[in-house]
Amino acid sequence: KAGVTQTPRYLIKTRGQQVTLSCSPISGHRSVSWYQQTPGQGLQFLFEYFSETQRNKGNFPGRFSGRQFSNSRSEMNVSTLELGDSALYLCASSLGASGGRNEQFFGPGTRLTVL
Amino acid sequence: GENVGLHLPTLSVQEGDNSIINCAYSNSASDYFIWYKQESGKGPQFIIDIRSNMDKRQGQRVTVLLNKTVKHLSLQIAATQPGDSAVYFCAEREYYGGSQGNLIFGKGTKLSVKP
């Protein structure tokens, strides 16, 4: 069974631009969560989608948004990029919603660099 | 690796020795805890989890200990191998009266295994 895939793996943008990252969960998984990882702040939760609905949201500004499609694939969008948005963006999928002991499987991440 | 923070605590052990990685969690309301391993260039990988109604759980070569009194979690790795070299994260899931929250990750500990 294929794991979680994320595209693109690497991305370079300039301040003010916007970016869309894509995540394909493991087949059959309905929950997708997004995380931002930086050396200073570590891993921080962005949001979770389950059955096309945003179930939980972390403490990030409205420039960060996401969505989930009927096939469970998810995208996240960051508008008006800032230098501080440079990070590794990780997607994780699980069978059910994140409550409970549904194990989350992480993708390799998308490395976003904002210049 | 690109996922390692510049100022992560580091644990250096000799191959074959046992490793103990510690984590202090923040919320006494957390009811579920997970340890993840992250190798350079990869997303976090699930190692072992434990519920708050347990104080010890064993897996293959790994043991997680939970001390709710002092809000402390530890991961013990027996007979540490070079392949265990990675950054290890603990994560807690908060529980709010019937509703489970998001995963909150610790800053991570870098484990370095000397051959």
Side-chain angles (χ1 to χ4, degrees):
Chain A
K1 183 183 273 191
V4 178
T5 57
Q6 292 185 246
T7 56
R9 289 295 311 279
Y10 300 92
L11 203 50
I12 299 175
K13 292 285 189 178
T14 56
R15 280 179 296 176
Q17 287 187 308
Q18 74 164 13
V19 67
T20 299
L21 311 181
S22 180
C23 172
S24 292
I26 292 171
S27 177
H29 284 194
R30 296 170 62 193
S31 172
V32 173
S33 297
W34 287 90
Y35 296 85
Q36 181 196 65
Q37 186 174 33
T38 59
Q41 299 299 318
L43 266 161
Q44 296 186 92
F45 173 79
L46 279 157
F47 26 66
E48 180 199 3
Y49 287 88
F50 178 75
S51 294
E52 302 179 64
T53 302
Q54 187 179 87
R55 185 176 177 274
N56 278 310
K57 190 177 192 301
N59 189 25
F60 277 82
R63 300 186 296 107
F64 291 81
S65 62
R67 59 178 176 168
Q68 187 180 33
F69 302 96
S70 58
N71 62 358
S72 294
R73 191 177 68 85
S74 177
E75 289 181 346
M76 68 161 282
N77 183 277
V78 188
S79 62
T80 321
L81 284 166
E82 300 176 0
L83 294 178
D85 297 333
S86 294
L88 181 70
Y89 289 88
L90 291 158
C91 164
S93 78
S94 60
L95 272 172
S98 62
R101 295 182 61 188
N102 284 296
E103 180 180 339
Q104 288 192 338
F105 295 84
F106 282 83
T110 294
R111 168 65 64 183
L112 171 65
T113 301
V114 182
L115 302 176
Chain B
E2 64 178 5
N3 301 330
V4 175
L6 293 176
H7 303 291
L8 281 178
T10 299
L11 175 65
S12 186
V13 300
Q14 201 70 39
E15 181 180 359
D17 287 351
N18 295 334
S19 303
I20 300 176
I21 301 172
N22 296 303
C23 176
Y25 64 93
S26 58
N27 196 330
S28 55
S30 294
D31 74 328
Y32 178 53
F33 306 87
I34 313 169
W35 278 100
Y36 286 92
K37 171 187 179 183
Q38 187 174 24
E39 296 172 284
S40 183
K42 298 182 179 179
Q45 178 186 3
F46 175 94
I47 302 173
I48 191 168
D49 60 359
I50 188 168
R51 278 208 175 280
S52 58
N53 60 355
M54 303 172 68
D55 52 23
K56 180 179 180 179
R57 190 157 188 249
Q58 287 183 290
Q60 187 178 13
R61 277 200 313 119
V62 294
T63 301
V64 55
L65 299 177
L66 174 64
N67 184 331
K68 294 181 286 294
T69 303
V70 294
K71 292 190 286 187
H72 183 268
L73 195 65
S74 69
L75 176 71
Q76 299 177 359
I77 305 174
T80 314
Q81 303 167 0
D84 295 326
S85 294
V87 176
Y88 289 81
F89 295 95
C90 65
E92 60 181 302
R93 169 162 288 134
E94 297 174 315
Y95 185 83
Y96 299 106
S99 175
Q100 285 155 319
N102 314 312
L103 282 179
I104 299 174
F105 284 81
K107 295 297 185 187
T109 297
K110 182 181 180 183
L111 176 65
S112 179
V113 182
K114 295 176 287 187

